[in-house]
Amino acid sequence: MAAIATLGFFGPLITGGAFTLDAVSVGGWAVYAVSFSATLPLASMATAYKQSRLVFLVRGAETAVGLAAVLILLVLRPDLAVFAPYCIGLGGMVSGLLLWWRLRIIRDRVRARHTDPERGTHAI
């Protein structure tokens, strides 16, 4: 993780030296950023298949799972709040899996439609 490796140099530049950045938090936000950006192509593909509602619902589920994980963490171990970004990243993994699963179903339907000779276009 480049963010953690360069934290010693860039941390004071980012904060102006006013406070230090925790490596665990920086790593957690990096994980969250990766999980969100990894689902972006899937969300774009679902939108191309006219599944905008699916993307909205999955992103809602992502938010709910991430917030639930953060709340559980804070209730059980408030001293581990530094791990909150990892919990939110968990929601991103859930959304990625949901979008991947649903897009495979859609892809299979589209393929079946194009390979079925009864549904194809016939020349007269």
Side-chain angles (χ1 to χ4, degrees), residues 40-63:
L40 195 55
L42 296 170
S44 297
M45 184 181 291
T47 303
Y49 278 119
K50 299 182 178 169
Q51 299 291 314
S52 298
R53 181 179 296 171
L54 170 68
V55 174
F56 179 75
L57 291 173
V58 166
R59 291 293 189 191
E62 169 185 341
T63 302

Side-chain angles (χ1 to χ4, degrees), residues 31-44:
V31 166
Y32 169 71
V34 167
S35 73
F36 186 83
S37 62
T39 61
L40 195 55
L42 296 170
S44 297

Side-chain angles (χ1 to χ4, degrees), residues 19-108:
F19 57 92
T20 60
L21 295 173
D22 182 59
V24 174
S25 294
V26 171
W29 287 114
V31 166
Y32 169 71
V34 167
S35 73
F36 186 83
S37 62
T39 61
L40 195 55
L42 296 170
S44 297
M45 184 181 291
T47 303
Y49 278 119
K50 299 182 178 169
Q51 299 291 314
S52 298
R53 181 179 296 171
L54 170 68
V55 174
F56 179 75
L57 291 173
V58 166
R59 291 293 189 191
E62 169 185 341
T63 302
V65 167
L67 287 177
V70 168
L71 290 174
I72 291 168
L73 173 72
L74 293 177
V75 167
L76 296 177
R77 293 291 305 269
D79 58 314
L80 297 179
V82 72
F83 289 101
Y86 292 96
C87 295
I88 297 170
L90 176 67
M93 290 189 323
V94 168
S95 70
L97 289 172
L98 287 172
L99 284 170
W100 174 80
W101 172 69
R102 187 67 183 138
L103 284 169
R104 287 184 56 90
I105 293 170
I106 293 168
R107 180 199 63 191
D108 291 344

